[in-house]
Amino acid sequence: MDVALDSLKFIDLTTSSIIFLFIVGFIGGLVSGFIGSGGAFVLTPGMMSLGVPGTVAVASNMCHKFPKALVGAIKRFRYGQVDIKLGLVMAASAGIGVQVGIKIQNMILAAWGQAGSNLYVSLSFVAVLVVVGSYVFYDAMKSRNNEGKDTTPALALKLQKINLWPMIHFKTANVRISLWFTIPVGFATGMLAATIAVGGFIGVPGMIYVMGVGGLVSSASELVIAFVMGLGGTINWAMHGMVDIRLTLIILAGSLLGVQLGAIGTTLVREVMIKIVMGSIMLIVAVSRALATPKYLVQLGLMDIAPEKVAILDKTSFVIMCAALTLGAVIILGSMLKARRAMARQAQEAYGQV
Amino acid sequence: MAHEMTKKQALVRMIGFGIASAAVYGTIFQHANAFTELCSRGGIYAAMPIAAVFLVSYVHGGFASNLWTALGINAKSPAKTVQATQTKRPEVRATVNA
């Protein structure tokens, strides 16, 4: 039985597009398994560059995101890194953030059209990633000089001392904090997820610097948030018939391999590596999105640049975005390899002493 | 205590999950257009893509997990802390050496 698909909604799959989606899925999964999020920011524009309509790209990406997050969360739970209670509490407020984020998006879309909406998304990307990414990177470098030892940030220590009812104890994270301080972090995570599709870029640093949760538990618990939000989003998109299951399954084939490798990686390398990878990716993606803004400014009539230059900037932006993800993967795989060599050397030395 | 899987056990499980994963992918992509059309009908049919990704997560996820184990890429187990022995030592009693 051969059924003809709606060509406006579903693309024809070629070998090169299948390979591209599988590889990006694998690298995205690797980064997600390691830092708790990532990959989505390349997959959606990546699919759109293959001719997939925006809504189908977002829906298909989300449909692959939640099972990937589930598999990653189960794997990291086995390593004792996931705080399920923390993930669920954060996911509850993130759900409200997503709804508010969608409302804001719709308001901007109604007022300034698609170009205005795209500009808002790009500017949000640049603002959040530059501010948060710079701090994460600065802190990672500081911790690296400090022999990789993670200390609880001053802000988190202050907030943990405020006994504001209801106080919640997160056992795995070993943190006791008021619910009221978790809500803004979760809310911002949801808002960012609705805006740039990568809530973890604010969720993980928020858990580290505002709540005082360690990098390892933060990145692992972020997978629980991603699962809950991803499942909710997928139900919504699938009810509207926007999921291209073929694309989802191809990406999932790569990302399930990657997410488990990334999760294994967290047990091999120093905790500070999570911050280094996250900070590096965030800063490079910020540059990529900054290069994409002139296109939308031109469309809104706020800037005047030759169309050829806009096209070059657009392509450069996408290449830099792919480079960000690849760099993240290279750092993860490189540090895993280094850690395994060091372990082998230690084992050999210990054997030699016997 | 968690059971540590050997490379051989992982290889056997990898093959099993691999066959299951190939069967699922093969079946779906054999009828790719029909299945995609079914998944994109919306409404109650939303359950189709969700069920499909859960199934793939189990079989392909199982394959992926065992693949890395079979290749010797394992997580580092946390350093075991030496627990102080709980057994009571016999009390020292004064004895008279006759």
Side-chain angles (χ1 to χ4, degrees):
Chain A
M1 184 180 66
D2 199 24
V3 178
L5 288 174
D6 179 0
S7 60
L8 289 174
K9 208 160 128 186
F10 303 112
I11 58 161
D12 279 331
L13 284 173
T14 59
T15 311
S16 57
S17 60
I18 292 171
I19 293 169
F20 171 77
L21 291 172
F22 180 84
I23 292 172
V24 179
F26 174 77
I27 299 174
L30 178 68
V31 173
S32 294
F34 197 79
I35 66 171
S37 62
F41 61 90
V42 173
L43 274 164
T44 308
M47 278 190 264
M48 286 164 77
S49 72
L50 296 174
V52 179
T55 44
V56 176
V58 171
S60 308
N61 187 12
M62 198 163 269
C63 190
H64 114 276
K65 182 182 160 176
F66 84 85
K68 172 186 77 178
L70 174 68
V71 170
I74 291 172
K75 192 94 177 165
R76 291 187 67 171
F77 179 77
R78 287 186 185 144
Y79 304 150
Q81 299 171 352
V82 176
D83 194 314
I84 298 176
K85 189 171 159 189
L86 172 67
L88 293 177
V89 166
M90 291 282 290
S93 44
I96 303 165
V98 168
Q99 296 307 320
V100 175
I102 292 170
K103 285 249 170 357
I104 294 173
Q105 281 270 41
N106 286 338
M107 275 160 57
I108 291 171
L109 196 67
W112 291 290
Q114 193 58 53
S117 169
N118 289 341
L119 183 66
Y120 163 67
V121 170
S122 289
L123 290 179
S124 308
F125 245 118
V126 176
V128 173
L129 299 194
V130 166
V131 175
V132 184
S134 303
Y135 189 74
V136 172
F137 199 77
Y138 161 76
D139 185 51
M141 289 299 131
K142 212 171 67 180
S143 304
R144 206 164 82 150
N145 297 335
N146 199 17
E147 291 175 352
K149 280 176 195 160
D150 249 350
T151 48
T152 309
L155 172 67
L157 279 176
K158 276 182 194 159
L159 294 177
Q160 285 173 13
K161 280 180 191 158
I162 301 170
N163 272 302
L164 191 63
W165 183 89
M167 294 295 287
I168 307 180
H169 178 237
F170 298 110
K171 203 174 161 191
T172 309
N174 196 20
V175 164
R176 189 173 175 271
I177 196 164
S178 169
L179 172 74
W180 301 106
F181 299 128
T182 70
I183 292 173
V185 180
F187 183 81
T189 307
M191 275 271 287
L192 204 71
T195 313
I196 68 169
V198 198
F201 280 166
I202 220 160
V204 177
M207 281 188 266
I208 296 173
Y209 301 112
V210 180
M211 295 167 63
V213 179
L216 212 54
V217 176
S218 298
S219 59
S221 306
E222 175 62 34
L223 290 165
V224 177
I225 308 173
F227 167 71
V228 176
M229 286 202 299
L231 180 61
T234 302
I235 292 170
N236 191 17
W237 283 116
M239 297 271 277
H240 290 92
M242 288 298 167
V243 175
D244 186 338
I245 195 71
R246 300 167 307 159
L247 304 179
T248 299
L249 293 181
I250 295 165
I251 301 166
L252 201 56
S255 72
L256 288 180
L257 286 163
V259 77
Q260 308 213 31
L261 190 60
I264 294 169
T266 59
T267 67
L268 300 174
V269 304
R270 289 187 304 156
E271 201 167 334
V272 70
M273 285 312 294
I274 292 172
K275 288 182 189 168
I276 293 175
V277 172
M278 185 169 245
S280 312
I281 292 178
M282 286 170 90
L283 290 176
I284 301 171
V285 172
V287 174
S288 156
R289 292 326 293 167
L291 289 175
T293 46
K295 182 172 111 181
Y296 309 124
L297 289 169
V298 168
Q299 285 171 1
L300 287 167
L302 298 169
M303 198 184 239
D304 191 26
I305 312 177
E308 306 85 56
K309 281 186 183 167
V310 173
I312 292 170
L313 282 175
D314 208 30
K315 273 193 185 136
T316 314
S317 158
F318 183 64
V319 170
I320 292 177
M321 211 179 233
C322 292
L325 198 62
T326 312
L327 178 80
V330 168
I331 299 175
I332 295 167
L333 292 176
S335 50
M336 276 174 76
L337 207 67
K338 213 169 133 186
R340 276 174 65 85
R341 277 190 192 147
M343 276 163 63
R345 212 170 30 240
Q346 272 177 0
Q348 215 168 22
E349 278 170 13
Y351 184 73
Q353 280 170 3
V354 175
Chain B
M1 204 172 94
H3 168 68
E4 290 259 339
M5 209 189 299
T6 62
K7 274 190 186 184
K8 199 178 168 187
Q9 283 171 320
L11 189 71
V12 173
R13 286 171 64 91
M14 184 200 85
I15 293 168
F17 275 110
I19 292 168
S21 177
V24 170
Y25 269 93
T27 310
I28 291 175
F29 278 87
Q30 191 78 34
H31 309 281
N33 284 7
F35 191 61
T36 307
E37 194 274 326
L38 207 64
C39 288
S40 64
R41 283 187 190 176
I44 193 79
Y45 288 91
M48 295 287 290
I50 294 167
V53 293
F54 270 121
L55 176 66
V56 168
S57 302
Y58 179 69
V59 289
H60 190 61
F63 164 74
S65 174
N66 288 294
L67 170 73
W68 297 127
T69 310
L71 289 172
I73 302 170
N74 294 313
K76 190 168 94 177
S77 46
K80 282 173 190 152
T81 47
V82 179
Q83 295 284 324
T85 175
Q86 293 293 311
T87 48
K88 261 190 168 180
R89 289 182 182 202
E91 272 175 38
V92 180
R93 270 197 240 162
T95 50
V96 180
N97 289 320

